[in-house]
Amino acid sequence: MTERVFNFGAGPAVLPEQVLEEVREHLMMLPGVGMSVLEISHRSEAFDEILMTAETNIRTLAGLSDDYHVLFLPGGATHQFAMVPMNLLSDGGIADYVVTGPWAKKAAKEAEKFGAVHIAATTEHERFMRIPTSVELDLTAGATYVHVTSNNTIAGTEWCEMPDVGDRPLVVDASSDIFSRPLDVARPGGSLIYAGAQKNLGPAGVTVVIGRDDLIFSNRSPSTLPTLMRYATSAENRSRYNTPPVFAIYVVSLVTSWLRDQGGLEAMDERNERKARKVYAQIDSSGFYHGTASTDSRSRMNVTFRLETPRLDARFVTAAADAGLAGLKGHRSVGGQRASIYNALPEEGVDALVSFMAEFECMNG
Ligand code: PMP
């Protein structure tokens, strides 16, 4: 390859070209610092500024009130599957989990190690191809929290709005759709939202956690809980109790600045709606492509579809890659194709995919 391809991979995923160029330009030496971002101390003034930029951008983009904390934690979203119940699920409490995909199922399974888990709804019997309706949710009265996965990366489904959980706190794994639309945090029981950075926020290595004061400082965890596993430790030490993933946070600061310059989350929402609509329209325009997810649950970030036979699916993926459209192979548990069209995937990439789909249909339909 001599040119950048359009990267439809599910994650780590495409980053804005402008961000990559800025990283390249400043990799040897941050302006005014004389050192690379890969070499600076996490206690330096330069990193103070980077951390402040990342946090301020996230606060502004999400419209967070002062009672919300923004934490930058290592370990990936999977680490949060454990940290959430470790910090919030006290003895005698019950956590409700809505199981809409393999990641949600893993989160629920991990929580069972720490306390009582109630599956408030699951669509596993339908291979996770849809999001449950509000009447299907069997929420526990007084549940300690309700956990949902806002976008299901594998099946390609997404909650079009967060469920009404009354005054229970809502915990959201937003790894694959954070900042693709305005963030819905305000609710009586508070919110805790976490997202591994490697899809919509930056490179792998950092997870952003946004949580209301009473959830971050819940004081429900046992005194034996390791220091670094406590949200309070990171909040009290501005995510620097130990050495944080400096480079990943640096890139998050650039990506969130880029998001701000693009017009913020309302603008991203509009653009993502338009991008997804184009791909789904192509899928629905003939009987050649079949959307995998239920129409009412379709994700705007991960568009899943298949062709008539696995052989044709394989041919599509190879021919697409030859045409500069990479990473379209679906997850092994679903098969077919998955076009991940995160914030940073340019609209021209979507247009190129749609043209390729029409051409491929013409040649093989
Ligand atoms: N949750 C969701 C929705 C995901 O898509 C993924 C990764 N693809 C994870 C959790 C796990 O993330 P990580 O690899 O950062 O632990």
Side-chain angles (χ1 to χ4, degrees):
M1 285 292 165
T2 52
E3 278 179 19
R4 273 176 67 76
V5 295
F6 288 118
N7 177 6
F8 293 92
V14 57
L15 285 166
E17 248 176 56
Q18 244 169 285
V19 166
L20 294 175
E21 268 162 17
E22 189 167 345
V23 170
R24 177 171 62 180
E25 193 186 333
H26 295 155
L27 192 64
M28 283 303 283
M29 195 177 83
L30 281 172
V33 178
M35 279 182 243
S36 168
V37 67
L38 297 169
E39 304 167 311
I40 58 170
S41 161
H42 60 294
R43 309 272 175 215
S44 63
E45 254 178 56
F47 188 64
D48 277 346
E49 210 171 291
I50 289 167
L51 196 60
M52 175 71 85
T53 303
E55 181 177 339
T56 308
N57 284 345
I58 289 172
R59 287 192 165 284
T60 311
L61 287 165
L64 298 180
S65 47
D66 289 346
D67 53 344
Y68 273 81
H69 295 263
V70 177
L71 312 178
F72 299 92
L73 305 183
T78 305
H79 198 63
Q80 296 308 308
F81 295 171
M83 273 186 86
V84 166
M86 276 175 157
N87 280 270
L88 300 181
L89 195 50
S90 53
D91 279 348
I94 297 182
D96 283 353
Y97 276 73
V98 185
V99 177
T100 50
W103 294 114
K105 192 175 170 185
K106 274 194 177 166
K109 199 142 185 51
E110 193 71 2
E112 281 171 6
K113 293 184 175 169
F114 304 100
V117 166
H118 166 67
I119 303 301
T122 175
T123 51
E124 187 169 14
H125 52 291
E126 293 164 70
R127 296 177 52 245
F128 297 127
M129 288 308 150
R130 68 178 184 90
I131 298 291
T133 59
S134 56
V135 289
E136 288 174 88
L137 296 186
D138 172 28
L139 299 179
T140 306
T144 307
Y145 62 85
V146 181
H147 181 284
V148 301
T149 309
S150 50
N151 182 75
N152 298 279
T153 326
I154 294 175
T157 64
E158 186 174 32
W159 293 80
C160 49
E161 57 184 44
M162 288 295 100
D164 180 2
V165 294
D167 57 4
R168 304 162 184 88
L170 184 66
V171 177
V172 183
D173 175 358
S175 294
S176 49
D177 69 345
I178 191 162
F179 291 174
S180 65
R181 54 181 169 180
L183 202 66
D184 172 16
V185 280
R187 53 182 49 81
S191 303
L192 188 137
I193 296 164
Y194 62 89
Q198 67 269 25
K199 299 167 200 302
N200 252 351
L201 292 177
V206 67
T207 296
V208 171
V209 175
I210 295 170
R212 200 169 76 175
D213 217 43
D214 53 333
L215 299 171
I216 297 295
F217 292 95
S218 76
N219 285 328
R220 286 189 217 129
S221 48
S223 58
T224 50
L225 185 64
T227 314
L228 256 184
M229 302 297 163
R230 289 174 189 281
Y231 289 129
T233 303
S234 292
E236 282 160 355
N237 292 278
R238 289 210 48 229
S239 303
R240 282 187 288 190
Y241 180 75
N242 72 329
T243 315
V246 169
F247 181 72
I249 295 172
Y250 166 65
V251 182
V252 170
S253 79
L254 301 182
V255 171
T256 50
S257 294
W258 174 83
L259 281 171
R260 193 198 51 207
D261 296 345
Q262 298 297 302
L265 303 190
E266 301 279 354
M268 291 321 295
D269 190 30
E270 230 173 81
R271 187 188 303 179
N272 287 324
E273 178 64 33
R274 202 167 53 236
K275 280 159 57 183
R277 211 178 315 121
K278 284 183 182 176
V279 187
Y280 285 118
Q282 186 60 36
I283 290 171
D284 295 337
S285 68
S286 75
F288 187 70
Y289 297 102
H290 308 278
T292 319
S294 280
T295 325
D296 59 359
S297 303
R298 283 173 162 177
S299 165
R300 301 184 319 167
M301 295 284 101
N302 310 100
V303 179
T304 50
F305 59 97
R306 58 178 180 76
L307 291 148
E308 217 44 67
T309 63
R311 253 183 83 179
L312 209 47
D313 280 328
R315 205 185 302 159
F316 179 95
V317 170
T318 310
D322 289 345
L325 310 172
L328 282 163
K329 190 172 189 309
H331 190 271
R332 60 194 175 281
S333 67
V334 177
Q337 278 67 236
R338 170 175 53 180
S340 298
I341 49 174
Y342 299 122
N343 283 343
L345 195 282
E347 204 153 344
E348 303 86 76
V350 165
D351 293 339
L353 172 64
V354 167
S355 305
F356 175 81
M357 287 170 77
E359 222 172 274
F360 188 83
E361 179 177 350
C362 226
M363 312 269 281
N364 297 274

